[in-house]
Each structure stands twice: as structure tokens, then as C-alpha cells.
Amino acid sequence: MAAASTSAPLPSARFRCFAGCAGTFPVTRALYTCPTCGGLLEVAHDLDALAHMRSGPAWRELFDARWSPRVTASVKPSGVWAKREWIAPELPDEDIVTTGEGMTPLYDAHRLAKEVGFGELFVKQCGNAHTGSFKDLGMTVLVSVVRHAKRIGALPVRAIACASTGDTSAALAAYGAAAGLPVVVLLPHGLVSTAQLVQPLAHGAKVLALETDFDGCMAIVKELAARELVYLANSMNPLRIEGQKSVALEIAQQLGWDAPDWVVIPSGNLGNSAALHAGFAMAKALGVIERLPRLVIAQAERANPMYRAVSAGRSTVEAVVAQPTQASAIRIGNPVSAPRAMAALRAMNGVGEAGSAHEPADACARADRSGLYACPHTGVAIACAMKLRARGVIGERERVVVVSTANALKFTEFKLAYHERRIEGASSRLANEPVVLRADVETVAAQL
Amino acid sequence: MAAASTSAPLPSARFRCFAGCAGTFPVTRALYTCPTCGGLLEVAHDLDALAHMRSGPAWRELFDARWSPRVTASVKPSGVWAKREWIAPELPDEDIVTTGEGMTPLYDAHRLAKEVGFGELFVKQCGNAHTGSFKDLGMTVLVSVVRHAKRIGALPVRAIACASTGDTSAALAAYGAAAGLPVVVLLPHGLVSTAQLVQPLAHGAKVLALETDFDGCMAIVKELAARELVYLANSMNPLRIEGQKSVALEIAQQLGWDAPDWVVIPSGNLGNSAALHAGFAMAKALGVIERLPRLVIAQAERANPMYRAVSAGRSTVEAVVAQPTQASAIRIGNPVSAPRAMAALRAMNGVGEAGSAHEPADACARADRSGLYACPHTGVAIACAMKLRARGVIGERERVVVVSTANALKFTEFKLAYHERRIEGASSRLANEPVVLRADVETVAAQL
């Protein structure tokens, strides 16, 4: 494995405006939007220093060596921190807060592929994670940077906070607990059940139910962040994208450092689409892969502003009012990361697609019958991939990777509703219910 | 890496009686108990052939190389099949049915360790798995062997079956679905909710609710197996132990091929205790580790036949009537693998311990506050470890590994009951509930 030359410039990473305003800023600063234009920030890496440090093949070799079982190694066994030079190069070991995130299986869905006519179909199982969703990947970076910034005195905040009713609050609370940092979760009173909040409650987060709607919670958490009372962990925070881009790197690595033909991702706030592009683009720039895959941004029909923009040939995304969908985590009408996702779509020759209200439930049932256990968001992605295959956009010999964003164990009620035929519009063609029988060997044998 | 000499005998594995009756049998045969004495079977490996094949250091090197991301490699990316020569050496590649099981994180619980006075405390996260429990590890072996046996015409059964209301049925149904093999699940009618069965239903298993109790279901599935109508997947099947022993191998591997001082495992049917011993003993015999860890078999106070036997100095386990416990998966009064677990305890200088009704809930809450998210069975294990530490049985500088057997996402109601102070006897000292507030920045800021 090539060692870094001691005289080479060390790689660094800085915040900069995604729209191109001048100036860069330390990633340890509590900055969530561009101070000039108010738009999105991104993390800029020093690609020259990284290229000088190692060739593409040497990076591959290093990353393969770090896909490792050792808990005692100086590089922690984590899919994110295994790529630390590309993610948060200046973060000291001692500040890393990890639960062993990443290194999730790339499930070879060959039975489903055969059934629905794909050449090769893989499912990247990001829900097979400490808190049960891909949010762990971004949160390990955010919480580690906050711990570092607090330790060096760069961040005077008391707590890390988010407005969230789901996976974001679960991941933030778990990493906050692992780090010993206080976490505050704001959510609309009366709109969320305690069961939905059991992860942040168990991890000891301060959960505040405010007498307002979700937008009201968001406005308050932003104001608290502006006053430097809390550090903001919501998805406009560009540090989360840095961790999430490891999904792209792992997919390529699991396929022998080759990009698939297509990557299909369910997307609401569009941060994960931006993250996939960031990962694949960096891998290509540094000689680790030779081409970018094509991107499918899969949305629920009732929350599809990106799909509408793409279908209309618009280069900007207009907000819609998102309607209820089984895929609750992507019920977002005004996605925060729309400009970055639009750029990702262009760079990756991508397409938008939307799954109707019932298609994802049927797609999940089909996937489950083949051995997967798909959350509704994964169902949206599979349904969209099937539509694109049926229309010939995805070719019959192409290799497709669907990103599964959450663990379906979080969605027992959704599964139950399908199998009890309670999802309006779903065919429930594969619904399966227990059969009650007399306790008699002959009776049971006759059923086999 | 040392290559196998072509003239060396190839390793093989055969069933044999655990109590020592004469004869061995192919693992592809539908045999669940010793044909002579009716007792437990085990899988006997040809240790001489394995030792001839590779030295201890060479096995380490091979296994480390196989902890790998590649989905296209001939050795599948699976923690079980990475050790295939030690598990099912004669199984052809094409019959392997895998979901990428194993290779689960060994979570460094340093915050909890400090709080409760352990030198080092790790949690092996077996619930971070395709179906959310350690049962995947055994089921990949069982279903793969069945697929192979059917393909070569050695097994005329129509379906694989189990009597189960929980993780076993979920794992069997998922692997059956992945393999395209029919699965039948028998359970007592009226005693199990559809929600508890949603995994096997989603995977398309035939779920038969019989008008009897659990023992009645067990009797019928055994009779169906005796008639060769089904292949029996319940835990007396020794193939499952073979996969589960990979937990021991991974723990040692993750600690740099060193056994910890203690391994603590929550145990009901005691198969996993037997599996840990099988794994560590094989690793020691083949020169991969130098010593065995000490074993703690952790039981719920209301289902503690092993603990009673050990406390009374008896070498056999007497059945008890198991009372309800939050740790439902280990509510077993008459454990199938008791003779093997008793042998494991002796060989590993082990101890039995039991957690009272409320201790596990409090232990889970404490663990969750430190970043873990512990299922009730893991809570039993942590509570037992804490008691042994308090009594000085576990020393203050010793390295302890707790095996977490299931994903706590399966136990939302248990978590909720604790935080809503509904668990009788639990202190609920760490109970955490949402605070309702006016939607006003000053009001919220005052709470921080």
C-alpha cells in the first residue's frame, strides 16, 4: 500500500457556496448556508492534494484493506471512516463518533431481477444500520465534527438539534448519546405518536413537542441555531452529505471498483441524490472508477416536485404541497437540496420517475417474496425502476443498483396493512394471511 | 495466502451423536436426532484435514482476506461463508443461499463500560442482520444444505417447516424465499398476533395457525418431518449451530484473533451457547486463537432452568415452567440444547446468571442512553454481566463481549412501555417523554 509522502500537502476540506459565491470556511464553523447569497453550502475537497497523495489504484487498495474487522485498528471499522481522507481529512482519531456504520450488504436480488426482467439487480441495504436507516452515514460525520469543534473551542453551542419526526432524530439522538453530547428534537405536538419517537426518547434526547406544524418547528430550530444556542443537524447541513456519499463509494467498491449502469434512489429532500453524485464524481476524479452511473431519482407520486421539474424540462424545482404517502420519509414538497440534486441529475445523465400511490406497496410485496424485506421508500425505488425497465429506458442487460434507505422493521404497520388488504389502490395480489386449522397431522399434511 | 495442497485429504463434515453413539451420517440426510439414542446430533468436522490444509496463521490470513466487499468474488460476501471450510466444507458454491449475513459490528461500548465499571465492554451486534436477528446465521447453512440435498436428489421433502412465533420463522421464511423453496410455519391459533407474523407472511410462507398450544405445534411438525413431508428447521437441527458458531469466530477476528476474557450470551433454548463453544473450541484446536474465553449463559429469572442447574451443582438441566418475560424469545423452560450447553459451560469455565423481571429493562435503558439500542434479551445479558461485575466474578480490568441477539427495532412496544413507566418492577429511572411547549423561541430556549 502506498504511503503518503511526508512533503506532500495534506488534504483539507472547507465549506464553500454551491452557487459559486466567493470564499471558503472551516467545516468546524456553525455555518449552514452561504453568508453571501443564503444558498446551499457544500464541502470542497482538495482534489490535487488527494491525487498527489495516492493514485487511483492505490486508493482502491487502501480502501479494500480498510474493509476490515479489526476494532483495535487506528482506522475505525466503519464504512465512512474507512474513506476518511475523502470525507473529513483533518478530523483527529479521538473525535470520531462511530457505531460501525456503513459496510452494508449489496444484496444480489437475482430472483427479483429474473422475475421483472433486469439483467442484474442489486439492493444496497443502507437500512441494515445501527439506527435502521442511511441517516447514520451523515450523522457520524456531523456529530464527530461537532465533538472536534467543541473540543478545540470553535463551537460554543450547548446541544445539537433538529426538527424531525423520523430517522433523522433517531440517528442524531444515537450519535449524540454515543458522544455524550446533548440532543434536542423539535416536532409538532399531536401529529406524531410516542411510538414514532421511541428511538430519540430511548437515547435520552430532549424531545420538545411544539404547538405548531413542522414548518413552525423548523423556523424555531433555525432561530435557535442563528442565536448559537444549538448546532443545526437538519439536512441543509452539508456535513451530512459527506458521510452519505460513502454509499456511492461502497457500491463501486462492492462491484470491484466499477460503477453500475444505473443507481436508483428514493428521494424526498434530495440530499441523498446529491450525496451519490458527490461520491461517484469524486471517485471518477481521483481515478478510482472510470465512469459515472446514470441516476434515477425516484419519488412518490404524491410528493414529486423533482419529477415534475424534470418532466417539464425545467432546471429549477418548484415546491408542491406533498400529499400523504406510505413512503412518509420522502413526503416532502419543497426539497432542501433541489439545486444540488438537479446538478447531479445533469452530470449523471439521470432521469426522474414517480411511483403512484399503490405501486410501491405492490413492489415491496414482490420484493419480499424474493427474500428482500423492503421499506416503502425502497418500494418507490423498485417500482420506478420497473417502470423505466418496462419503457426500455433501462436496458435488459444493464446492471441496476437500488438504494434501500431504511430498515423495513420500522414499517410493520405498512406491511400488515398490505397483507390485510387495507392499502387503498394496492392490488394486494400477494397478500398472505394465516390459515386456521384443526391441530391434526392429516389436516396439516393436506395443506402442504 | 497458503494454497491447499492438491494431494491433501479434503475436509468433510458429518452428523454424529453428541452423546457418543457409534456412526456418522451425511449432513444432507433428513436426520434430527441420533438414530440410536434419540439424543442430540452435532456436526463433526475433520480437524486433521483442516489442520493439514492450513496452519493457524494461514487460516487467519485467509479469513481476514475474505472479510471483503466484493459481491462478484467466488466466495460470497458473508460472515458465515467466509469460513465455509469450517462450516459446510463440501457445499458447492451454486447452492449457497445468502443475504450477506454476519460481519456485524462489534460495538465498543466504552461509555457504558466506564459507567458500570468494566475494563472493556463490546457488544456483538447480531441483530444488525437481514431479518433482524442472529437466526440468519444458522438459517443460511440449513437452507443452503437443503437446496443442495434437493438438487442431488437426497431429500424428497416438499417444504421446510418450523414451529415458531418469532425470529426463527422470520429467518426461515426469508431464506426460503431467497432460495425459492416453500416454507411452512406452524403456530398456536389465537396466541400470536398477525403483527408478530408479518415477516414470514411477507416472505410468502404458508402460515398455519393450529387450534393447540406451542407444544402441540411442535409435535405436529415433528410428525410431518418423520413422514418426510417437510424438512425440520427447529433448533434441534444441528446445521443451525454450524452457522451460529461464526459469531465466536468473528468476535475473535474483530479483536485481532484474540478471545476476550468473557462472552455473555442471552440464552433460552441454549443452542447459541453451544454454538459459541463450537466456534471458539474449533478456533483453538486449529491454532487460530490461543485460549477460550469464559462463558456466561444469561437467562431471564422467569425462564432459568440452566441457571438453576448450575446454582445447584447439577450436571443436567431440569425443565421448569417458563413464566412470561419481556425477553420473549428466551422464555423457554425445557431447552433443546441443554446437554451441549452444559458441556460448553464446563469447557469454557463458565457461569450461569439470571436477570430478574425488571433488571433487563433498566439495563436496556442505561445502554440506550450510551448510544446502544438494546433488545430485551441483550438487556438480560447486560444485567447479568453487571451483576457478575458487582460480585467481582468479572474482574475490573477484564475484556467482556456481550452478544446482542436481535434488533431492538422489533421491540418498539417494550421500549415504549419502559418510557411510559408501564413495566412492573422496573425503576423507569431513565424514562423519557416528550415535553409539550408553546411554539415560541424564548420558551424553547429556556428549556435548553
Side-chain angles (χ1 to χ4, degrees), chain B residues 42-342:
Chain B
E42 66 177 349
V43 176
H45 289 272
D46 185 345
L47 293 182
D48 288 342
L50 289 167
H52 190 268
M53 203 170 172
R54 277 185 181 78
S55 68
W59 280 117
R60 293 181 187 181
E61 200 183 333
L62 177 68
F63 293 158
D64 281 346
R66 286 184 185 163
W67 196 291
S68 152
R70 289 285 183 286
V71 296
T72 47
S74 70
V75 175
K76 311 255 177 174
S78 151
V80 171
W81 299 107
K83 276 99 177 173
R84 56 192 300 181
E85 294 88 349
W86 292 29
I87 286 169
E90 293 157 306
L91 191 82
D93 280 3
E94 63 190 295
D95 293 314
I96 290 178
V97 183
T98 176
T99 68
E101 53 286 320
M103 299 194 289
T104 50
L106 188 63
Y107 184 94
D108 182 351
H110 54 92
R111 286 197 65 221
L112 185 62
K114 198 169 173 185
E115 225 184 279
V116 297
F118 285 97
E120 282 183 284
L121 180 65
F122 294 94
V123 179
K124 178 64 174 165
Q125 300 278 46
C126 297
N128 201 327
H130 192 72
T131 76
S133 88
F134 78 103
K135 306 272 183 179
D136 289 6
L137 303 170
M139 223 47 97
T140 184
V141 176
L142 184 145
V143 173
S144 298
V145 170
V146 168
R147 179 150 84 172
H148 175 61
K150 280 177 71 86
R151 191 169 60 78
I152 63 172
L155 204 61
V157 301
R158 296 181 206 161
I160 314 179
C162 69
S164 162
T165 59
D167 294 334
T168 298
S169 62
L172 175 59
Y175 282 86
L181 292 172
V183 166
V184 177
V185 174
L186 303 192
L187 55 103
H189 177 53
L191 297 183
V192 185
S193 71
T194 312
Q196 285 174 267
L197 296 169
V198 71
Q199 287 177 276
L201 289 171
H203 292 307
K206 192 179 277 270
V207 177
L208 304 178
L210 306 188
E211 288 167 338
T212 178
D213 58 10
F214 187 81
D215 290 341
C217 293
M218 200 64 225
I220 286 178
V221 77
K222 281 185 179 173
E223 176 60 25
L224 295 171
R227 295 189 191 181
E228 297 204 327
L229 292 171
V230 301
Y231 182 86
L232 188 63
N234 276 96
S235 71
M236 73 273 285
N237 189 315
L239 292 173
R240 286 177 51 195
I241 304 279
E242 292 309 293
Q244 289 174 28
K245 82 185 182 197
S246 66
V247 173
L249 305 178
E250 288 193 359
I251 289 170
Q253 186 173 15
Q254 289 172 301
L255 295 173
W257 295 112
D258 188 19
D261 297 304
W262 292 90
V263 178
V264 186
I265 190 150
S267 214
N269 244 332
L270 298 172
N272 49 15
S273 301
L276 277 183
H277 175 234
F280 282 117
M282 197 162 176
K284 183 160 180 287
L286 289 168
V288 161
I289 58 172
E290 288 180 6
R291 56 167 188 159
L292 300 181
R294 294 186 70 186
L295 176 67
V296 178
I297 296 181
Q299 298 202 298
E301 193 183 63
R302 293 176 174 184
N304 62 351
M306 186 71 181
Y307 174 66
R308 288 186 192 200
V310 174
S311 301
R314 290 196 311 267
S315 64
T316 54
V317 174
E318 282 169 27
V320 301
V321 176
Q323 303 298 319
T325 159
Q326 299 284 348
S328 53
I330 58 174
R331 182 191 168 185
I332 292 165
N334 189 14
V336 167
S337 295
R340 292 194 66 173
M342 195 52 94

Side-chain angles (χ1 to χ4, degrees), chain A residues 111 128 130 177 205 209 371 432 435 437, chain B residues 111 128 130 177 209 371 432 435 437:
Chain A
R111 286 197 62 221
N128 201 329
H130 192 73
N432 188 18
V435 179
L437 290 180
Chain B
R111 286 197 65 221
N128 201 327
H130 192 72
N432 188 18
V435 179
L437 291 179

